[in-house]
Amino acid sequence: IADFKGRYVKDCDKDITKDLKARGRLIKSKMIVHSYPFCWRSETPLIYKAVPSWFVRVEGMKDDLLACNAQTRWVPDFVKEKRFHNWLVGARDWAISRDRFWGTPLPIWHSEDWEEVVCVSSVE
């Protein structure tokens, strides 16, 4: 929303409510006291928003992953049959592009028009 661009989202709450009311789009406004998630590192409120993400299609290769795990020598050995095995059994498609400042950079290169995309050391 252009009117609030560049402002911290929590500082805009009252202005957003006023804007919705002025445009006849506010159904109800009410304060609700509830627990709210905070970042354990920075102690700042977590803001949920839709962002583009890269996923690894894990669900389609579960059987192969389980077969590879069965052939792998794990130290300590309980990881093979318990912790990692259980993770693989319940594995879902994996979001690898988390937007975190402590995350791992992805070795993905693309042309300006996105016609060519290369993942360094990828399977394909």
Side-chain angles (χ1 to χ4, degrees):
I1 302 175
D3 294 343
F4 309 108
K5 185 177 180 177
R7 293 178 55 194
Y8 177 60
V9 66
K10 298 308 285 176
D11 292 341
C12 297
D13 286 348
K14 290 181 182 176
D15 293 335
I16 291 171
T17 302
K18 286 179 190 175
D19 179 64
L20 290 170
K21 187 174 185 178
R23 293 188 294 131
R25 299 196 173 192
L26 181 67
I27 296 170
K28 184 176 185 177
S29 177
K30 178 180 175 182
M31 292 294 285
I32 299 173
V33 177
H34 60 89
S35 62
Y36 195 85
F38 282 78
C39 174
W40 65 273
R41 291 175 186 248
S42 64
E43 298 183 2
T44 56
L46 294 177
I47 307 299
Y48 297 107
K49 61 181 181 176
V51 295
S53 295
W54 290 80
F55 285 83
V56 173
R57 190 176 294 146
V58 175
E59 292 179 26
M61 58 179 157
K62 259 193 221 185
D63 293 338
D64 292 337
L65 292 170
L66 287 164
C68 287
N69 184 52
Q71 297 173 18
T72 303
R73 179 177 177 261
W74 284 94
V75 177
D77 60 350
F78 69 83
V79 174
K80 178 179 186 172
E81 296 299 327
K82 295 199 186 312
R83 174 178 251 161
F84 197 66
H85 173 80
N86 292 340
W87 181 80
L88 288 174
V89 167
R92 298 180 310 220
D93 291 348
W94 180 23
I96 59 170
S97 60
R98 294 179 179 176
D99 188 16
R100 308 278 195 273
F101 57 85
W102 65 85
T104 303
L106 301 174
I108 297 172
W109 303 90
H110 66 84
S111 59
E112 287 187 31
D113 61 1
W114 282 87
E115 287 296 317
E116 184 179 4
V117 179
V118 177
C119 181
V120 179
S121 297
S122 71
V123 175
E124 295 182 25

